[in-house]
Amino acid sequence: MHDIRFIRENPAAFDAGLARRGLEPLSATILEADAQARSAQTSVDTMLATRNAASKQIGALMGKGDKEGAAALKAEVEAIKLDLPAREEAKRAADKALADMLATIPNLPVEEVPQGADENDNAEVARWGEPVEIANVREHFDIGAPLGLDFESAQVVSGARFAYLRGPIARLNRAIGQFMLDTHTEIFGYQEVVPPVLVRDDALYGTAQLPKFAEDLFATTDGRWLIPTAEVSLTNLVREQILDGDLPLRFTALTLCFRSEAGAAGKDTRGLIRQHQFDKCELVSITTPEQSNDEHERMTGAAEHILQSLGLPYRRMLLCSGDMGFSARKTYDLEVWLPGQGKYREISSCSNCGDFQARRMNARYRPAGEKGTKFVHTLNGSGLAVGRTLVAILENYQNEDGSVTIPEALRPYMGGLDRISAL
C-alpha cells in the first residue's frame, strides 16, 4: 500500500515511479479520492462535535429552567442522530474507494532498478560456474521417467500440470528440501516455521496477491485460499503488530505451494518447470528501513549458497522495472543453467518490498529511544524452488547410462548414495 502523504507531497515523483512501471499518471485521481475521503471525515467530525456541544448545553439550560431552549437543542440533536448514519456511510464509502484504488497500484522501483518493459531488459549482475558440455543431452522429463517421474498417472488423477514422484526421484526431491532447510537454519540463522497453507483474504491482501491476482490462486469452498508461496504465511506473522525486539526477524519454511498458472497456456506444458502444486523453501525477513538493503543482499546470497553447494551454474539478474513483481521495489532473480534446454531458467526471486506490504498489514516496530512507531520493511525470496532444483540436478548431473549422479552435498540425505538409477 502506498503512503498517501507521500503522494500528497510528491505527486510528480509518484507519477514518475508509475511511468517506470509502464503506467499512466494517477496522482490527480488519487488526490481527488483522498480529498473526498477527508471531506467526508470532516463532515462526520463536525456533526459529532455539534452534537456533543449541544448535548452539554441541554443540561446547562435545563439547570437554568430554560425548557424552551433545551427543547430546541434536543430537536437539533435528534436531527443529527438521523443524519449521522448517512454521513458515516459516505465516509466509509469514500475511504473504501481510496483504499481500493491504492490496493491495485504496484510498488515503485528504486533508483538502481533498470528501466525496461520485460525480461529482455533485465541486467546480469554476476555469474557463477561454467555450463557443462553433455553428449546426447536430454531434458529432465526424459531423464526422470525411468527414475520415478510419472506425469501420465497424475494426468488421470488430477489433470495437467501435476506429477507423481516415486522411488529414487521422490527420495531425491525430499533430500533437496531438507538440505535447503538445514542450510538456511544452521548457516544463515533463519528460524524454521511450519505454517498454514490455507489462509484468509486478509493474509493475501497483506502480501498483495489480493485483490489484483485472484485468478492466479486456488480458492476453497469455505472462503480460504491455498497459498501460492509461504511468503504469505510467513510475512503475515507480524501483521497488526508493533515489534519491540531486535530486528531483523528471519523465517524459513518448506511447504507445498499452489498456483493456477493463469495465462500460462502453452508455456512449459511438459515437465516440472510450471506445476499447479510444488514444493518451495521460502525465506522471509522483517527489518528496519535502514537494514533492508543489506538484508536483500544477504538473502540473495543465502539462495546462491544453495546453488553453489550443489555445483549448479547460475547467474544473478537485476530485474527491470517492467518485470518486477507487484510488491517489489527491487528484485534479483537467480537463473540456473539447464543443459537440456540450453539456457538459464529462473529458480529463485529475492525481493525487497520496503514498507509496501507492512502498510497493508499494519506491521510496525518501535525504534529504540523514540516515542512513535514506523512501518517495518519486508523481504522474501525462494531458497529455492525444490522442483526446479530437481530439474537442474537431473539435467546437470545426467549420465549416458540413464543414471543421475547425486551432488556431494545431498549424499548424507540420500543414505550415502552417489547416484540413482532406473526403478
Side-chain angles (χ1 to χ4, degrees):
M1 182 74 73
H2 290 284
D3 182 357
I4 189 63
R5 290 175 299 178
F6 173 80
I7 302 174
R8 290 174 194 153
E9 296 168 6
N10 305 277
F14 180 73
D15 284 339
L18 293 181
R20 296 193 65 202
R21 284 281 201 167
L23 300 175
E24 296 296 320
L26 288 172
S27 63
T29 304
I30 293 170
L31 292 177
E32 180 181 352
D34 177 50
Q36 292 175 354
R38 287 194 286 168
S39 175
Q41 179 68 63
T42 299
S43 175
V44 170
D45 291 345
T46 300
M47 185 162 282
L48 288 173
T50 301
R51 184 194 67 184
N52 293 340
S55 297
K56 290 180 180 179
Q57 291 178 26
I58 290 172
L61 292 174
M62 291 294 289
K64 294 178 181 179
D66 186 355
K67 295 183 179 180
E68 184 176 337
L73 284 179
K74 285 181 180 179
E76 183 177 345
V77 169
E78 286 301 315
I80 289 173
K81 286 182 179 179
L82 292 175
D83 192 26
L84 186 59
R87 298 202 185 194
E88 289 176 331
E89 178 56 34
K91 173 189 175 299
R92 285 191 291 269
D95 288 343
K96 184 178 186 302
L98 177 60
D100 288 349
M101 190 179 301
L102 292 173
T104 61
I105 301 172
N107 204 349
L108 303 184
V110 294
E111 185 176 350
E112 61 264 33
V113 169
Q115 184 64 30
D118 54 35
E119 61 184 13
N120 296 313
D121 298 315
N122 295 338
E124 183 174 324
V125 175
R127 190 176 290 215
W128 185 93
E130 290 295 328
V132 293
E133 293 289 339
I134 300 175
N136 303 314
V137 66
R138 295 174 296 156
E139 292 197 54
H140 72 279
F141 36 78
D142 292 326
I143 302 165
L147 305 175
L149 179 57
D150 182 357
F151 295 105
E152 289 74 18
S153 297
Q155 173 77 33
V156 173
V157 173
S158 301
R161 299 194 189 277
F162 289 92
Y164 278 102
L165 304 180
R166 304 187 314 165
I169 205 167
R171 185 174 188 180
L172 178 56
N173 186 78
R174 173 164 54 92
I176 292 168
Q178 294 304 309
F179 167 68
M180 290 174 180
L181 273 183
D182 286 351
T183 298
H184 294 312
T185 56
E186 295 172 9
I187 296 178
F188 293 98
Y190 285 85
Q191 181 185 90
E192 184 176 349
V193 180
V194 178
V197 297
L198 284 171
V199 297
R200 296 174 173 170
D201 292 12
D202 287 348
L204 285 158
Y205 178 86
T207 46
Q209 283 82 12
L210 289 180
K212 195 173 180 65
F213 303 102
E215 66 174 6
D216 296 326
L217 308 171
F218 286 110
T220 67
T221 57
D222 66 352
R224 283 183 272 253
W225 305 79
L226 289 164
I227 60 170
T229 164
E231 168 202 345
V232 178
S233 306
L234 296 179
T235 309
N236 275 278
L237 273 169
V238 298
R239 71 174 293 111
E240 298 176 9
Q241 292 188 40
I242 298 175
L243 304 174
D244 286 315
D246 291 335
L247 296 177
L249 300 176
R250 299 184 178 111
F251 305 121
T252 185
L254 175 63
T255 68
L256 284 171
C257 304
F258 304 88
R259 297 184 186 176
S260 70
E261 296 297 341
K267 297 180 181 178
D268 299 306
T269 53
R270 294 190 69 191
L272 292 170
I273 293 292
R274 201 179 295 273
Q275 295 275 282
H276 288 313
Q277 171 189 311
F278 57 95
D279 297 310
K280 183 155 68 79
C281 186
E282 186 71 9
L283 305 173
V284 163
S285 295
I286 312 296
T287 77
T288 67
E290 295 77 17
Q291 297 168 326
S292 67
N293 289 337
D294 288 343
E295 187 68 14
H296 190 202
E297 299 296 326
R298 184 185 190 276
M299 174 182 285
T300 307
E304 288 179 316
H305 183 85
I306 298 293
L307 289 167
Q308 293 175 14
S309 298
L310 296 174
L312 296 172
Y314 70 91
R315 62 183 185 178
R316 183 199 284 210
M317 306 294 290
L318 176 60
L319 298 196
C320 71
S321 56
D323 198 33
M324 290 195 308
F326 184 85
S327 297
R329 68 177 194 171
K330 181 179 179 181
T331 297
Y332 291 120
D333 267 12
L334 302 181
E335 297 180 348
V336 68
W337 174 253
L338 298 183
Q341 294 190 17
K343 59 184 177 181
Y344 289 94
R345 295 297 303 267
E346 177 200 338
I347 197 168
S348 172
S349 281
C350 296
S351 297
N352 185 347
C353 300
D355 64 5
F356 185 81
Q357 293 177 326
R359 290 180 179 279
R360 299 169 78 103
M361 297 187 301
N362 193 24
R364 294 171 287 161
Y365 75 103
R366 199 182 312 278
E370 297 184 23
K371 292 183 179 180
T373 62
K374 294 181 179 179
F375 287 104
V376 298
H377 279 201
T378 64
L379 302 94
N380 64 81
S382 306
L384 307 161
V386 176
R388 294 194 178 195
T389 306
L390 177 62
V391 168
I393 290 172
L394 292 177
E395 294 199 5
N396 281 276
Y397 286 91
Q398 61 182 290
N399 300 310
E400 287 199 36
D401 65 359
S403 67
V404 172
T405 300
I406 304 299
E408 289 189 16
L410 295 180
R411 292 177 187 177
Y413 298 87
M414 295 288 293
L417 289 176
D418 61 3
R419 64 177 54 206
I420 54 174
S421 302
L423 288 169

